[in-house]
Amino acid sequence: MRLDYLSIFPAYFDVLDISLVGKAAINGLVEIHAHDLRDWTHDRHRTVDDTPCGGGAGMVMKPDPWGEAFDEIIGTESDPSVHVIFPAPSGTPFTQSAAAELSSAQRIVFCCGRYEGIDHRVIDYARSMWTVHEVSLGDYVLNGGEVAALAITEAVVRLVPGFMGNPESLAEESFSAGQDGLLEYPLFTRPVSWRGLDVPEVLMSGHHGRIASWRRDESVRLTRERRPDLTDSDSSGIH
Ligand SMILES: COc1ccc2nc(C(=O)O)sc2c1
């Protein structure tokens, strides 16, 4: 899997070198390429923004640098196997199932907006050429797309076959199919008693059926408490 990042702050992606994603890059599982959008400007100030047509506050990212960067990084041929991701507050909420789908992609290009956002024609052009995803991390606004791109990268790359030492651990995570899309149950390890707080007895019973039942009940309880929106989804297994 090749991952490209287009940003006016490409140094944001240096952190991928120290993470497990960096280890995956060393193992050849993924390739990471961060690019400075300003490399595709031609004026002395390396300008990437301009005032919004129709007025309004702030600045909008000009389309020209994006188009020239696309030509060089992705090419000028249409290819639906290339996934282009635009993190944006107006995007579709990013989910674990979206991460799972993207984990089989061979090419992902992240377009990290700043200022008020990117000229919409950039997104329209990308849609005419590749598979585009406009996604948001949640109902809040960051200062740009870089942090969202990092979060999406981690969610996707950890699902790439060969990344996780023990792929079985993926099956029991929150939102995973193995959990019926429920939140993960509470986890405990030794010591059994810590500051007057004990590990639930059932987990020390060695009775696998009772343990599985307790864990399921806890997942259902937590999901009902914290994410009632998930309890009606088809994958949740609870209604
Ligand atoms: C201008 O580009 C932005 C600005 C805020 C922002 N917030 C995001 C989020 O997912 O919360 S993505 C994103 C991109």
Side-chain angles (χ1 to χ4, degrees), residues 76-203:
T76 54
E77 297 298 315
S78 174
D79 182 352
S81 75
V82 176
H83 292 260
V84 181
I85 298 180
F86 293 89
S90 58
T92 304
F94 188 71
T95 62
Q96 187 67 11
S97 57
E101 282 175 37
L102 284 167
S103 67
S104 59
Q106 286 310 303
R107 191 112 203 244
I108 300 177
V109 180
F110 289 92
C111 301
C112 302
R114 280 275 156 172
Y115 307 102
E116 299 307 310
I118 303 170
D119 184 303
H120 201 77
R121 289 168 293 179
V122 173
I123 297 161
D124 289 341
Y125 172 76
R127 281 197 191 284
S128 73
M129 298 286 282
W130 306 297
T131 300
V132 166
H133 311 262
E134 294 180 78
V135 296
S136 167
L137 289 191
D139 296 339
Y140 48 80
V141 181
L142 303 170
N143 291 319
E146 288 81 5
V147 167
L150 284 169
I152 294 166
T153 297
E154 184 141 320
V156 170
V157 171
R158 64 194 301 277
L159 299 179
V160 171
F163 178 84
M164 292 292 270
N166 173 18
E168 284 178 24
S169 62
L170 294 173
E172 298 193 342
E173 292 179 334
S174 293
F175 312 108
S176 68
Q179 275 287 100
D180 285 339
L182 299 175
L183 300 184
E184 189 169 11
Y185 45 80
L187 299 172
F188 300 86
T189 185
R190 287 179 289 274
V192 172
S193 190
W194 175 73
R195 296 190 179 190
L197 300 168
D198 297 343
V199 171
E201 273 185 41
V202 64
L203 298 181

Side-chain angles (χ1 to χ4, degrees), residues 54-74:
M59 301 294 276
V60 175
M61 300 189 89
K62 296 159 51 73
D64 314 73
W66 291 96
E68 292 185 29
F70 286 163
D71 291 350
E72 185 170 334
I73 294 169
I74 312 177

